[in-house]
């Protein structure tokens, strides 16, 4: 069969007559095949629904609305006069009863499909007669857009399979692709008219454009559903895992939303631990009586990376697990290691622990752990040249400019409901090292003492820069549920996170995802990972501060993060608002002093 092709040469057309809107927006080529339509570089295929299940529930078409690909859908509802339908129903009921009676007289087994049809017809007849129902003819079409024929075929199969799981039969509008496409554009015209009889109740269940509700009986308030202005209230600890990821460009409101979640989670007896590279959580921490720990050259707070967890898991060698963790740490500190250097480091670590009387025997692992300086001395005493090289590269952390940061006994504890670890006063080069050590320290504490906790890792891209730290963060995300821990991963460098195999794995192990305003350079990658429609991509590109998409399990809604006035004052990071509050406090203090002086006079 030949393919009709329409070539629209815009320039010649504009020369012949004055340009209008149609001339400007019209595509250059449209190719109509029996099985699809090609408009420019895009391909389209339309399906019509020919079969429906006998019984359906409200919002039964939500899998189509939540389908992982953009779809254009259209419904056409044609009211039908009840008098004509009642006349047809009377005749149909008589035919069905006659069929059943004939089968009975001939001794045949009663046909269950005929009996079911008779029951449905009688029920509909009664409803129409009493005025409880009206009758309609209903048409349902879906057009699938794609960038290639291969993608179009794949999505078509997936959609037909999804509809099939709902007992819905979908067929291609073969030889009528042009009419099918026209039926799904916003022109309100049905060019195919393939309809199905439906009463009012049945028709109402086909209306799927009800936004997903994320309002539960328990949990915290995350914001307002922008579709219907309902509240997004959710308990992350009610999902299969308690992890979440938050993506957005700088200034989109990521940290604001995280701080709001922290503040509200504290009211539900949740212990919060935060790794804060930019010192954004200090005011919040001090306001709720938490502990703010700042790491720097002169800071009294120290964490010994050689500490061993005191809780032995069944079948797990705690010393072996710690040495594996230290291997990752020293790859971040020293850079890539050769195979021989890794072997030397492994041998040196075993000797370092043995020098303190610590062996794979769990009974010995309660002894005081070694320090980084002990490892340095062990390496110096080894004969291999690789050991000397490792010691030289480590020396700046023991005796050089970085001495005293990572080679001291731990004096940090997690006794408060909110603990914030800040790395702002460290050089950028040291932040990934410090964040890894803090994360490892927290993980050991979490395993030793089971409680309901949230761990917030802000600016997680620091950890994603190194394969070993990224892998460690992923291992926490994968195992956190076992220890009643919810991991919140926040980053503005979406490319670094999503281009990492461990970054994508963390997303797969997170039941909640929050996408806020995105940079145009990252939107396609974000769209591919989260299966966003074109409309959702545009929403993220134009989103205001605190606006975005909230994914929880299979549902997602557009959200606007909302805070009370008091909460806003406590968690805002806008410089102008902070200065205004500071000036207001100074003025209030001055007025109080003047009032006090006047009272003394």
């Amino acid at each position: 069969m030949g393919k009709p092709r329409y070539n629209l040469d815009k320039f010649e057309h504009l020369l012949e007559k004055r340009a209008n809107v149609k001339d400007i927006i019209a595509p250059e080529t449209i190719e109509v095949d029996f099985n699809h339509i090609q408009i420019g570089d895009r391909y389209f295929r339309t399906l019509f629904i020919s079969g429906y299940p006998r019984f359906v529930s409200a919002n039964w078409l939500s899998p189509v609305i939540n389908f992982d690909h953009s779809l254009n859908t259209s419904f056409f509802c044609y009211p039908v006069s009840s008098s004509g339908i009642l006349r047809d129903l009377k005749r149909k009921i008589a035919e069905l009863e006659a069929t059943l009676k004939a089968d009975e007289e001939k001794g045949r087994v009663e046909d269950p499909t005929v009996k079911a049809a008779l029951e449905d017809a009688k029920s509909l007849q009664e409803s129409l007669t009493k005025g409880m129902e009206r009758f309609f003819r209903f048409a349902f079409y879906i057009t699938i857009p794609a960038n290639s024929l291969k993608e179009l075929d794949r999505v078509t199969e997936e959609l037909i399979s999804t509809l099939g799981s709902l007992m819905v039969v979908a067929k291609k509008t073969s030889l009528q692709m042009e009419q099918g496409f026209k039926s799904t554009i916003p022109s309100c015209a049905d060019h195919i008219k393939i309809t199905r009889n439906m009463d009012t109740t049945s028709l109402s269940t086909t209306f799927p454009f009800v936004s997903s509700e994320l309002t539960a009986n328990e949990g915290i308030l995350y914001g307002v559903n922008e579709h219907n202005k309902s509240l997004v209230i959710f308990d992350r600890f009610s999902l299969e895992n308690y992890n979440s990821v938050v993506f957005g460009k700088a200034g989109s409101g990521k940290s604001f939303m995280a701080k709001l979640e922290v503040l509200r989670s504290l009211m539900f007896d949740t212990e919060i631990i935060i790794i804060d590279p930019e010192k954004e959580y200090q005011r919040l921490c001090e306001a709720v009586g938490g502990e703010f720990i700042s790491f720097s050259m002169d800071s009294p707070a120290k964490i010994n990376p050689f500490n061993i967890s005191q809780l032995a898991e069944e079948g797990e060698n705690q010393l072996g697990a710690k040495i594996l963790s230290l291997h990752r740490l020293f790859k971040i500190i020293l850079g890539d290691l050769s195979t021989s250097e890794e072997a030397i480091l492994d041998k040196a670590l075993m000797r370092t622990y043995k020098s303190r009387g610590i062996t794979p025997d769990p009974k010995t692992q309660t002894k005081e752990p070694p320090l980084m300086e002990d490892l340095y001395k062990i390496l110096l005493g080894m004969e291999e040249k690789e050991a000397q090289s490792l010691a030289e590269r480590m020396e700046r952390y023991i005796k050089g400019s970085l001495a005293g940061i990572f080679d001291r006994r731990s004096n940090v504890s997690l006794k408060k409901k909110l603990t914030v670890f800040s790395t702002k006063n460290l050089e950028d080069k040291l932040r990934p090292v410090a964040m890894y050590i803090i994360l490892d320290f927290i993980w050991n504490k979490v395993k030793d003492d089971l409680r309901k906790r949230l761990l917030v890792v802000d600016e997680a891209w620091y950890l994603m820069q190194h394969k070993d730290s990224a892998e460690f963060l992923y291992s926490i995300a994968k195992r956190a549920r076992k220890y009643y821990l919810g991991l919140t991963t926040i980053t503005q460098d979406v490319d670094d996170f999503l281009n990492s195999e461990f970054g994508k794995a963390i997303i797969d192990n997170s039941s909640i995802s929050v996408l806020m305003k995105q940079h145009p350079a990252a939107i396609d990658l974000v769209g591919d990972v989260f299966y966003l429609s074109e409309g959702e991509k545009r929403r993220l590109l134009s989103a205001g501060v605190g606006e975005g998409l909230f994914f929880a399990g299979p549902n997602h809604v557009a959200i606007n993060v909302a805070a009370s006035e008091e909460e806003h004052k406590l968690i805002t990071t806008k410089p102008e608002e902070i200065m205004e509050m500071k000036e207001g406090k100074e003025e209030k203090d001055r007025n109080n002093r003047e009032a006090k002086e006047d009272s003394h006079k």
Side-chain angles (χ1 to χ4, degrees), residues 56-93:
V56 292
S57 59
N59 204 28
W60 64 286
L61 280 176
S62 60
V64 177
I65 302 306
N66 294 323
F67 190 73
D68 292 336
H69 190 85
S70 297
L71 301 173
N72 299 327
T73 62
S74 63
F75 292 165
F76 294 89
C77 306
Y78 303 97
V80 179
S81 172
S82 295
S83 58
I85 294 299
L86 285 170
R87 186 170 54 252
D88 293 339
L89 275 174
K90 185 177 180 180
R91 183 174 64 253
K92 187 66 176 178
I93 289 171

Side-chain angles (χ1 to χ4, degrees), residues 494-501 504 525:
V494 180
D495 286 346
D496 277 0
F497 200 93
L498 296 184
N499 285 321
S500 164
E501 59 177 313
K504 291 181 179 178
L525 181 59

Side-chain angles (χ1 to χ4, degrees), residues 253-364:
K254 305 183 305 300
S255 297
F256 186 93
M257 195 211 76
K259 283 184 275 189
L260 200 59
E261 181 184 26
V262 165
L263 190 60
R264 292 170 178 172
S265 296
L266 287 170
M267 295 186 289
F268 288 85
D269 199 32
T270 305
E271 186 176 299
I272 315 289
I273 309 167
I274 302 170
I275 300 180
D276 176 18
E278 298 298 334
K279 209 174 180 179
E280 293 187 70
Y281 296 78
Q282 184 173 7
R283 284 195 305 120
L284 170 61
C285 182
E286 293 171 350
V288 298
E291 184 177 7
F292 186 82
I293 303 171
S294 178
F295 280 84
S296 66
M297 302 288 290
D298 304 322
S299 171
K302 305 296 178 185
I303 292 178
N304 180 14
F306 286 76
N307 285 351
I308 300 178
S309 172
Q310 300 302 307
L311 181 65
E313 298 182 47
E314 184 178 350
E316 183 177 3
N317 179 0
Q318 289 297 321
L319 179 59
K322 171 50 66 174
I323 288 178
L324 178 61
S325 174
L326 289 172
H327 270 284
R328 293 171 177 164
L329 172 63
F330 283 108
K331 285 182 182 179
I332 300 171
I333 292 176
L334 306 176
D336 293 334
L337 301 178
S338 65
T339 305
S340 58
E341 286 176 331
E342 286 194 45
I344 294 295
L345 178 61
D346 189 71
K347 188 188 300 183
L349 286 169
M350 291 296 292
R351 289 184 183 178
T352 302
Y353 277 102
K354 192 173 182 180
S355 68
R356 296 283 181 171
I358 299 174
T359 67
D361 183 358
K363 295 179 181 178
T364 67

Side-chain angles (χ1 to χ4, degrees), residues 320-499:
K322 171 50 66 174
I323 288 178
L324 178 61
S325 174
L326 289 172
H327 270 284
R328 293 171 177 164
L329 172 63
F330 283 108
K331 285 182 182 179
I332 300 171
I333 292 176
L334 306 176
D336 293 334
L337 301 178
S338 65
T339 305
S340 58
E341 286 176 331
E342 286 194 45
I344 294 295
L345 178 61
D346 189 71
K347 188 188 300 183
L349 286 169
M350 291 296 292
R351 289 184 183 178
T352 302
Y353 277 102
K354 192 173 182 180
S355 68
R356 296 283 181 171
I358 299 174
T359 67
D361 183 358
K363 295 179 181 178
T364 67
Q365 294 171 10
T366 57
K367 296 181 179 181
E368 189 174 85
L371 298 172
M372 192 179 292
E373 183 179 0
D374 296 321
L375 174 62
Y376 171 73
K377 291 177 179 178
I378 293 290
L379 288 170
L380 284 177
M382 296 175 72
E383 296 180 357
E384 294 88 344
K385 62 179 182 179
E386 290 89 349
Q388 302 300 316
S389 173
L390 291 172
E392 290 173 3
R393 290 152 68 182
M394 196 185 298
E395 188 170 349
R396 64 187 302 220
Y397 293 90
I398 311 301
K399 297 181 179 181
S401 58
L402 303 179
I405 302 179
F406 309 124
D407 61 335
R408 296 289 185 270
R409 299 281 173 208
S410 297
N411 58 5
V412 173
S413 61
L414 303 177
K415 296 180 180 178
K416 298 291 184 71
K417 278 293 183 182
L418 174 62
T419 306
V420 178
F421 294 91
S422 173
T423 61
K424 183 177 182 179
N425 295 327
L426 290 174
E427 298 177 14
D428 286 346
K429 185 177 180 180
L430 291 179
R431 284 189 186 180
V433 179
M435 290 176 71
Y436 182 92
I437 292 174
I438 294 168
L439 201 58
D440 183 60
F441 169 79
I442 293 169
W443 182 235
N444 285 336
K445 291 292 184 182
V446 165
K447 291 195 295 182
D448 290 345
D449 183 14
L450 187 65
R451 294 183 191 178
K452 184 180 179 182
R453 289 186 175 98
L454 284 183
L455 170 58
V456 180
V457 182
D458 208 339
E459 302 298 348
W461 61 271
Y462 280 111
L463 293 171
M464 305 310 293
Q465 290 177 327
H466 301 274
K467 178 183 176 182
D468 294 280
S469 56
E471 184 178 5
F472 183 51
L473 187 63
Y474 161 63
S475 70
I476 292 177
K478 187 170 64 173
R479 301 169 62 196
R481 185 184 183 279
K482 182 178 179 181
Y483 301 101
Y484 210 7
L485 174 71
L487 173 66
T488 298
T489 310
I490 308 171
T491 186
Q492 66 180 11
D493 201 331
V494 180
D495 286 346
D496 277 0
F497 200 93
L498 296 184
N499 285 321

Side-chain angles (χ1 to χ4, degrees), residues 6 103 114 138 210 257 310 329 447 540 582:
Y6 308 96
D103 289 342
V114 175
F138 175 70
V210 179
M257 195 211 76
Q310 300 302 307
L329 172 63
K447 291 195 295 182
L540 292 180
K582 185 177 179 181

